Amino acid sequence: MFDYLIVGAGFSGAVLAERLASVLNKKVLIVDKRNHIGGNAYDCYNESGILIHKYGPHWFHTNDDNVFRYLSQFTEWIYHYHIVKTFVDGRLLPIPINMDTINGLYGMNLSSPEEVNKFYDSVKVNVGVPKNSEEMVISQVGVDLYNKFFRGYTLKQWEIDPKDLAASVTARIPTRTNRDERYFTDKYQGIPKQGYTNLFQRMLNHKNITIALQTDYKGLVDSVKFDKMIYTGPIDSFFDNVHGKLPYRSLIFEHETLPMEYYQGYQQVNYPNEFDFTRIVEWKHATKQKSHLTTITREYSVLATDEMEKYYPIPMESNHELFKKYQAEAESLKSVIFCGRLADYKYYNMDQVVARALAIFRNKITGKGE
Ligand code: FAD
Ligand code: UDP
């Protein structure tokens, strides 16, 4: 007999399992259909002994003191600014676009934020309030930079014209007037010192928590006794797709280990135009691991089929409308709590998922509010 059945051992499920067990002394069964904990943040050592993120690069960053303090109970950190370059016109240039991007691309010599702003003013397109991902970018940096840095990458990643994609997607990438080359400017950034999987092991290491892997909840929901359920899988699957399937993007990862210390100069290089892949990640830059070998991972984006892992909800109006039908069903079920990137159908980062799980614990479970 369990107090809670939690479906999914990613950040959403693990945070709630940990809080329920250690704060409220509840008995929790957490199940995942994969053969490991950690959800999409899972990392592991490959056959060459290199630590890789199995489901693509997970660069932790947050401004939320609470989230950082909470996670720091279970890990120390490798503090590290995430740096991403993009391959445009045969050169590696900074993304987010900054002063060096403009100077490098156009052979200019801008040297102050005022001059960079003046440049943006001369190229940006007045669209009013940006209504989609294309307008979001051209209203800041104009059409040429949009075509070179955003259009091709976005088409590869989403297979949707940026005109049809929510403005929030490209709004994730800021525009800079200075030389700051960090991908994120958050107060805390880095990766867990012993890896994400170790962080999850420490969160879930509690006598009240039972973990069942390679277990689809649908196969045991009738045979296990529990009071309440927390569901962090795809919301449409929970309701057997009664309103139609929500679309998700999946990814194909091509991992390659090479007999050299480093393959590229940076942890991540984006390829907006040439090649079918979107980006190449080289893990050792972030993990600081020492080895005479290196592993790189190329990422290809595809529409998720039923057999594939679902990684990204697709932020566009029609999908949001369909999601709202499932959300209404979800709200009518009093003994099931839905949360997470797939259950909320929201393009959350890890820190947002942790913050949401902590808020659900406070507001919906303990009833103690903020
Ligand atoms: P998930 O991690 O998806 O966990 C849900 C779990 O539920 C899965 O393990 C799944 O197997 C399980 N499940 C589903 N259905 C069932 C079922 N029927 N029965 C049993 N188990 C089930 N965030 C950042 O902050 N920084 C980054 O750099 C970053 N990079 C990312 C890169 C990629 C390629 C992707 C895909 C995501 C990235 N994210 C990043 C986002 C981050 O992965 C998510 O915010 C976070 O992992 C979501 O946690 P979750 O628990 O909601 O979902
Ligand atoms: N993007 C782009 N070019 C880039 C980086 C990002 O066009 O070099 C756009 C693209 O639409 C992408 C979105 O911005 O899907 C968000 O980028 P982010 O790096 O946050 O993607 P994630 O790491 O979540 O896949």
Side-chain angles (χ1 to χ4, degrees):
M1 174 72 196
F2 294 94
D3 297 306
Y4 281 83
L5 168 64
I6 300 186
V7 180
F11 267 111
S12 305
V15 168
L16 283 162
E18 187 282 327
R19 290 288 81 188
L20 285 163
S22 56
V23 180
L24 300 181
N25 199 26
K26 297 290 185 196
K27 284 192 76 181
V28 176
L29 172 62
I30 182 165
V31 302
D32 204 297
K33 60 186 168 66
R34 295 176 180 176
N35 63 0
H36 57 74
I37 55 174
N40 286 338
Y42 171 75
D43 56 10
C44 57
Y45 288 88
N46 66 12
E47 63 293 341
S48 303
I50 307 292
L51 183 62
I52 63 167
H53 299 177
K54 183 170 178 191
Y55 304 102
H58 279 71
W59 315 135
F60 182 80
H61 59 104
T62 192
N63 279 319
D64 189 327
D65 294 327
N66 250 343
V67 166
F68 187 71
R69 223 180 357 249
Y70 172 75
L71 290 177
S72 300
Q73 297 174 80
F74 312 103
T75 187
E76 293 172 279
W77 300 90
I78 298 174
Y79 293 100
H80 168 84
Y81 290 127
H82 303 301
I83 305 285
V84 179
K85 299 286 165 179
T86 192
F87 184 73
V88 168
D89 291 354
R91 265 169 297 190
L92 288 184
L93 294 165
I95 180 90
I97 292 173
N98 69 8
M99 187 191 289
D100 290 330
T101 316
I102 309 296
N103 287 339
L105 186 68
Y106 297 121
M108 296 174 85
N109 211 1
L110 306 177
S111 57
S112 69
E114 292 71 33
E115 286 177 10
V116 178
N117 256 330
K118 222 160 129 193
F119 171 80
Y120 290 145
D121 284 345
S122 73
V123 292
K124 71 186 184 193
V125 181
N126 186 356
V127 297
V129 177
K131 291 177 293 301
N132 57 55
S133 266
E134 176 178 302
E135 289 186 358
M136 191 68 201
V137 180
I138 62 171
S139 66
Q140 295 182 58
V141 298
V143 173
D144 193 49
L145 288 166
Y146 164 72
N147 282 332
K148 289 191 156 92
F149 289 79
F150 285 88
R151 185 172 158 72
Y153 189 103
T154 302
L155 279 169
K156 267 192 262 183
Q157 173 69 14
W158 302 97
E159 277 183 283
I160 291 168
D161 194 299
K163 280 193 182 77
D164 298 321
L165 210 53
S168 57
V169 175
T170 49
R172 289 167 62 88
I173 316 300
T175 303
R176 307 243 167 86
T177 54
N178 56 18
R179 301 188 62 199
D180 187 348
E181 59 168 1
R182 296 170 300 165
Y183 203 60
F184 313 107
T185 48
D186 302 48
K187 186 156 141 191
Y188 307 106
Q189 31 185 320
I191 50 174
K193 201 167 193 171
Q194 269 94 38
Y196 286 97
T197 304
N198 181 273
L199 158 68
F200 280 91
Q201 281 161 351
R202 291 173 67 181
M203 285 174 88
L204 296 175
N205 181 17
H206 192 287
K207 64 176 174 31
N208 290 359
I209 300 178
T210 305
I211 304 172
L213 298 175
Q214 291 178 287
T215 305
D216 190 319
Y217 82 102
K218 289 193 175 176
L220 60 65
V221 76
D222 295 325
S223 55
V224 169
K225 285 211 165 86
F226 57 90
D227 272 349
K228 289 199 169 157
M229 186 194 287
I230 292 170
Y231 180 80
T232 75
I235 190 165
D236 51 343
S237 312
F238 184 90
F239 295 105
D240 297 323
N241 308 309
V242 282
H243 300 297
K245 288 182 184 170
L246 280 163
Y248 301 84
R249 297 300 290 175
S250 191
L251 296 169
I252 294 167
F253 301 104
E254 190 179 272
H255 304 286
E256 188 180 0
T257 298
L258 300 159
M260 56 181 72
E261 203 172 350
Y262 285 104
Y263 169 80
Q264 61 191 25
Y266 306 93
Q267 71 189 68
Q268 183 177 320
V269 177
N270 289 354
Y271 288 86
N273 304 316
E274 297 82 3
F275 310 108
D276 290 338
F277 47 82
T278 51
R279 54 192 179 188
I280 299 182
V281 166
E282 186 169 24
W283 307 100
K284 280 179 16 180
H285 288 288
T287 60
K288 315 282 186 221
Q289 201 180 344
K290 300 272 175 264
S291 170
H292 61 287
L293 303 173
T294 190
T295 301
I296 59 166
T297 302
R298 298 183 189 85
E299 233 172 90
Y300 302 82
S301 172
V302 291
L303 189 67
T305 60
D306 287 345
E307 297 70 40
M308 295 176 104
E309 293 288 354
K310 293 164 179 167
Y311 295 123
Y312 292 85
I314 304 178
M316 56 194 287
E317 190 52 35
S318 51
N319 299 340
H320 186 64
E321 290 306 313
L322 179 52
F323 166 71
K324 283 203 297 204
K325 294 188 184 169
Y326 286 111
Q327 193 182 29
E329 302 257 3
E331 278 164 6
S332 70
L333 294 181
K334 293 298 165 227
S335 59
V336 187
I337 293 174
F338 291 78
C339 86
R341 178 148 148 149
L342 300 173
D344 289 340
Y345 201 70
K346 282 219 176 64
Y347 192 175
Y348 288 136
N349 292 324
M350 291 178 280
D351 64 324
Q352 295 171 306
V353 157
V354 172
R356 169 134 170 85
L358 292 174
I360 285 179
F361 180 72
R362 278 193 310 270
N363 303 335
K364 287 201 181 173
I365 296 176
T366 67
K368 286 198 177 139
E370 292 299 315

